[in-house]
Every structure is written in structure tokens, then in C-alpha cells.
Amino acid sequence: MYKGIENITICDHPLIKHKLTIVRQTSTGTNEFRTVIEEIAMMIGYEALKDLPLEDVEIETPIEKAMCPMLSGKKPAIVPILRAGLGMLSGMLRLMPAAKVGHIGMYRDEETLEPHEYYCKLPTEIDQRAIYLVDPMLATGGSAIAAIDAIKQRGGKNITFLCIVAAPEGLEKIHEAHPDVRVFAGNLDRQLNEVGYICPGLGDCGDRIFGTK
Ligand code: PRP
Ligand code: URA
């Protein structure tokens, strides 16, 4: 929880902290960076998916017939914010291989830090699905808020946002704009710097995942 807000969970797990230290380091190369981001996404996803609905189905074990729980309801949607959100998609899909996948293209202007949407394609019947929006970095919160706006405009209601590192500034803004959205962050970092990067952070996550800088 963050400042007593029920809808915000800081995962605060030793394995996540350890793996975050690996990705924070400048010396970590693209291959390892991508792998560890996927692993952290799985751990945050495990926590965020704990409320998935279940229904009992009848099965036969080697011993007897039994009523046992399986996931129920419409398949959830995982929605990465392009580009860096793609780094979390594989980890989320390993947890829920049958999930549908949407994409929202968003980049932030390097000068103004304002988000710009350039693509949006969501699974059908999005209003009936649990939606897991993923982006490793919650900095000013602008991109996440704009992505949630885009999902809500298309009918999405049940939205959870997952990030690997959050700045306090972004957490507060997202909760103010969308108090109904549940937020799971792998870690709460200290602050934003004067050019909108998270400190200590891990740098430009998209560039590090795709090796573009
Ligand atoms: C990064 C990151 C978030 C955004 C966070 O994306 O992946 O989407 O910045 O910043 P904010 O909270 O201040 O909006 P970027 O715009 O660098 O695009 P990329 O993923 O294509 O690299
Ligand atoms: N986007 C990133 O990739 N890193 C930051 O620190 C802030 C926004």
C-alpha cells in the first residue's frame, strides 16, 4: 500500500529488489536486461492476478472424483504500452497463456514530457474483460493516464496497471486521475529528476530492452 491507498500496491519483495539491482546497473547488457525484466514482470503479475475469478469444475483424480477450481469468466486482456511495455508482455503471458493481447502506442515528448498516442488496438468485448495494462516505468504518469483514458473511451472498466518502477509523482497523478484503477509497482523509487527520469531508476527502459541506444 502507498500512503494508505488500498488500490496501490508496492510489491516490495526481496527477489524483485535483487533483480531490480541487476537491471539498474549500466553494465547490464540488452539480453540480460530483457530476461530480468520478464522475470520481474512475472512476479508483479503473480501478485496482481491474485483476485482472478475461479469456478469449481468436476474432475477425476487418480483417487476419486473431485470438484476443483479453475479460472472462470472471459479471458483477461493484457495491454502493453509500446514500446517498453512489450518487455513485460512475455512474463504476463507465461502466467496467463490464454489471455488476449491489446496494444497502445504511446511516446512522451522529450521536451514537454506530454504523452502522444499513435496506435490503439484492443481485444473485442473489452468492457467484459479484466484488463492488465503494463509499462515498466511510471514517471510523470502522463503515459499511463493517457493509456487508461484510451481504454475507458473504448469501454474498458476493470483496469489494473502494472509497472516495474514507480516515481511518487506518477503514483499520485495516476490515482488522482483514475482512483478506480488498481496499481501494482515492483518498487517505489525516490523521485523524478529535472528531465523527467526516475531516480535512481534504470534509465530509458525502451532503449535498454531493444538496444536502441
Ligand atoms: C517511457 C515508458 C513510459 C513512459 C513513462 O516510454 O515506457 O511509457 O516513458 O513516462 P511518463 O510516466 O512520464 O509518461 P517512452 O515515451 O520513452 O517510449 P518508448 O517506450 O517507446 O521508449
Ligand atoms: N521513461 C523511462 O524509460 N525511464 C524513466 O526513467 C522515465 C521514463
Side-chain angles (χ1 to χ4, degrees):
M1 226 189 287
Y2 172 75
K3 293 192 175 170
I5 302 171
E6 288 275 337
N7 268 358
I8 300 182
T9 302
I10 310 293
C11 292
D12 211 15
H13 192 287
L15 281 175
I16 295 180
K17 286 186 193 298
H18 174 84
K19 288 175 188 293
L20 255 177
T21 300
I22 295 171
V23 289
R24 286 189 197 283
Q25 292 176 71
T26 314
S27 57
T28 299
T30 307
N31 188 8
E32 189 180 12
F33 189 90
R34 215 182 270 148
T35 304
V36 178
I37 289 288
E38 177 186 350
E39 290 169 354
I40 299 174
M42 280 181 73
M43 292 181 208
I44 301 168
Y46 180 78
E47 183 72 19
L49 295 170
K50 67 176 182 237
D51 293 335
L52 281 177
L54 295 168
E55 67 182 338
D56 280 347
V57 296
E58 189 177 298
I59 60 160
E60 256 179 65
T61 76
I63 310 298
E64 61 177 18
K65 282 192 176 164
M67 295 297 287
C68 293
M70 288 194 88
L71 294 177
S72 74
K74 269 211 158 320
K75 293 191 173 57
I78 303 167
V79 182
I81 301 179
L82 306 178
R83 285 177 306 168
L86 289 175
M88 296 176 74
L89 176 62
S90 50
M92 291 296 287
L93 279 174
R94 287 182 71 182
L95 296 175
M96 280 193 304
K100 306 285 183 187
V101 178
H103 295 88
I104 297 185
M106 200 70 76
Y107 72 89
R108 52 173 212 172
D109 183 297
E110 285 183 7
E111 298 293 317
T112 65
L113 304 182
E114 286 300 313
H116 294 275
E117 182 183 322
Y118 59 89
Y119 185 76
C120 184
K121 179 86 179 168
L122 300 178
T124 57
E125 301 172 302
I126 197 69
D127 56 317
Q128 297 164 47
R129 299 184 191 279
I131 301 161
Y132 296 90
L133 178 67
V134 297
D135 189 327
M137 310 304 281
L138 180 68
T140 66
S143 304
I145 291 168
I148 296 165
D149 288 340
I151 293 171
K152 286 186 174 175
Q153 277 160 21
R154 289 162 178 82
K157 295 183 186 89
N158 176 3
I159 305 171
T160 304
F161 176 72
L162 285 72
C163 63
I164 287 184
V165 177
E169 294 89 333
L171 273 184
E172 276 163 36
K173 262 186 76 180
I174 195 173
H175 184 68
E176 198 181 300
H178 295 290
D180 56 304
V181 170
R182 297 184 314 151
V183 177
F184 287 82
N187 199 69
L188 176 63
D189 273 18
R190 195 178 70 249
Q191 65 183 104
L192 294 180
N193 68 12
E194 62 288 351
V195 286
Y197 274 79
I198 300 174
C199 305
L202 43 84
D204 188 310
C205 197
D207 280 339
R208 295 196 65 193
I209 288 171
F210 295 107
T212 42
K213 226 175 229 173

